[in-house]
Amino acid sequence: MSIRVGLSTASCYPLSTAAAFRIAAELGYDGVEVMVWTEPASQDARALRELSERHGVPILSIHAPTLLLTQRVMGNEPWGKIDRSVDLARDVEAGTVVLHPPFRWQKEYATGFVDGVAQREARHPEIKLAVENMFPWRARGREVQAYLPHWDLRRNHYAHTTLDLSHTATSGSDAIAVAEELGDRLSHIHLADGLGSYKDEHLVPGRGTQPCAQMLEMLARDEFGGDVVVEVGTRRLSDEDRLVDLAEALAFARLHLAIGAGRISSPF
């Protein structure tokens, strides 16, 4: 079975969730990851099902509102936000919920985070709660550990994880080594690139220093069972340039997955 390549609605920001579904269908993506945001449609199962049916694009995953800028989305209580994201995923038949580890000031939430994730997966075995790798924050030459229990997924045992290649660039991690160490616990990929800046760059794959091609080929060789979701930044682009970048990212993913699967030879 071929690995599906999805488009994160975050890749189309500041366009609407509806626009992201339209673009995913137009460019030929296999599905969509919905970033739950302040926009009501991103939180509404009925609206999302209608968009999915209208455009013929399935919803692969839900990204819970655990970003710094979505702290008030779906309420203020952290576990309540996760539970509502799981309910949303079930209602739209998405198999994965992506979530970030807690911020260090969320001490009570962080203390029970690993166990809380495991408990929710036990209650909802049809949904993978795939915790995403993050990175230390840097300012004025200082490094701040902003996440608990830790930004590095290898420090804690999660049954399912998301590996983001923009985040490995920012953290200075070896993405291939992380993937190999996670092994079967690696269940979801955010495909992007970065140059190692302290900023989370989310470049089109192939435009940074991350081993995006090698990662995709390895996943295909190993018959990875999860999804690859393109999560790149296009907010400063024109509509035309956004389509060009998202088409390039999809073509990059398809090419290197095909090489890894042995369907075509490398053109390089």
Side-chain angles (χ1 to χ4, degrees):
M1 181 177 178
S2 298
I3 296 171
R4 298 183 297 185
V5 182
L7 177 66
S8 169
T9 60
S11 296
C12 300
Y13 181 84
L15 299 185
S16 66
T17 301
F21 274 86
R22 174 180 54 77
I23 290 169
E26 179 180 339
L27 295 179
Y29 278 85
D30 298 319
V32 163
E33 175 170 299
V34 175
M35 173 69 78
V36 178
W37 196 248
T38 55
E39 183 191 7
S42 72
Q43 308 171 36
D44 186 326
R46 180 176 178 180
L48 293 174
R49 286 196 302 268
E50 288 177 353
L51 287 170
S52 176
E53 292 168 6
R54 182 188 313 159
H55 295 287
V57 178
I59 300 170
L60 307 181
S61 43
I62 297 293
H63 195 309
T66 49
L67 285 70
L68 186 62
L69 297 178
T70 57
Q71 291 301 289
R72 296 180 182 273
V73 176
M74 285 186 168
N76 294 321
E77 202 280 310
W79 284 121
K81 293 156 71 76
I82 301 303
D83 291 336
R84 281 185 278 278
S85 297
V86 170
D87 289 342
L88 181 61
R90 294 175 66 198
D91 288 345
V92 300
E93 298 183 349
T96 299
V97 170
V98 177
L99 64 160
H100 292 182
F103 295 106
R104 68 177 306 110
W105 56 83
Q106 298 174 302
K107 293 184 178 179
E108 183 177 350
Y109 176 45
T111 298
F113 183 70
V114 177
D115 288 341
V117 169
Q119 290 165 9
R120 283 159 175 80
E121 288 199 308
R123 289 202 299 268
H124 305 287
E126 74 279 18
I127 304 292
K128 299 174 183 177
L129 271 68
V131 182
E132 186 171 355
N133 63 306
M134 298 305 293
F135 46 84
W137 292 0
R138 297 183 179 93
R140 298 179 182 177
R142 298 183 61 187
E143 188 172 288
V144 178
Q145 300 299 331
Y147 299 96
L148 291 175
H150 204 276
W151 56 263
D152 189 334
L153 297 173
R154 296 169 293 181
R155 299 290 189 94
N156 297 95
H157 189 86
Y158 302 110
H160 300 101
T161 59
T162 298
L163 184 59
D164 184 305
L165 274 75
S166 178
H167 295 176
T168 55
T170 305
S171 66
S173 304
D174 181 332
I176 297 297
V178 174
E180 290 177 341
E181 191 168 338
L182 288 172
D184 291 343
R185 296 190 293 135
L186 179 59
S187 55
H188 198 70
I189 298 290
H190 278 170
L191 181 62
D193 212 333
L195 294 165
S197 165
Y198 66 89
K199 297 179 181 179
D200 186 14
E201 297 168 292
H202 284 275
L203 304 178
V204 171
R207 297 185 186 176
T209 60
Q210 293 305 286
C212 297
Q214 183 183 354
M215 177 69 70
L216 291 166
E217 292 169 20
M218 180 180 75
L219 293 172
R221 283 196 305 271
D222 293 347
E223 299 183 340
F224 177 62
D227 297 321
V228 170
V229 170
V230 170
E231 191 182 72
V232 299
T234 67
R235 66 189 180 96
R236 292 189 173 91
L237 301 182
S238 67
D239 289 348
E240 181 179 356
D241 287 343
R242 177 179 294 108
L243 287 175
V244 169
D245 275 10
L246 296 180
E248 180 181 327
L250 176 60
F252 184 100
R254 295 236 193 272
L255 170 63
H256 291 288
L257 288 172
I259 291 171
R263 294 195 297 272
I264 62 173
S265 299
S266 173
F268 305 110

